[in-house]
Amino acid sequence: PLRERQVAAGLREMFGQRETIQVRRISAQIIPGQPPRAFGEVTWMTQPRGTTIPEKVTVFVAWVLQKDRWRITEIRLKS
């Protein structure tokens, strides 16, 4: 699992120079097992700061349940 600092740094790197226009959930699913896992996708509409040209990216996130806390294990961008 990624540490909180790693997740925050990754999201800042991906979206730090962009303005969010809209975020919409596409899918979310919990997979039973040991340990339980979850997966989800969101569509993130952004625009680079100082422009008016919107860009759409799909963000995939995976989690695993550890010690009663969901931890992010993966973040991927799909263009």
Side-chain angles (χ1 to χ4, degrees):
L2 301 173
R3 295 180 183 261
E4 290 175 21
R5 287 183 182 169
Q6 290 173 303
V7 172
L11 291 173
R12 268 193 307 276
E13 185 176 321
M14 285 187 260
F15 299 108
Q17 298 302 313
R18 301 178 171 281
E19 295 178 32
T20 296
I21 299 170
Q22 178 184 24
V23 178
R24 198 175 85 221
R25 179 180 56 92
I26 297 173
S27 65
Q29 184 175 12
I30 295 176
I31 309 298
Q34 209 46 271
R37 297 185 179 277
F39 304 93
E41 289 184 326
V42 297
T43 298
W44 207 313
M45 290 289 291
T46 67
Q47 65 188 32
R49 294 190 193 282
T51 73
T52 58
I53 302 167
E55 297 176 354
K56 180 171 94 171
V57 66
T58 300
V59 181
F60 170 85
V61 182
W63 295 268
V64 65
L65 185 61
Q66 290 184 333
K67 299 180 184 177
D68 298 325
R69 286 186 62 186
W70 286 99
R71 306 269 323 229
I72 293 175
T73 59
E74 184 178 356
I75 298 174
R76 277 190 282 146
L77 296 182
K78 296 165 50 177
S79 304

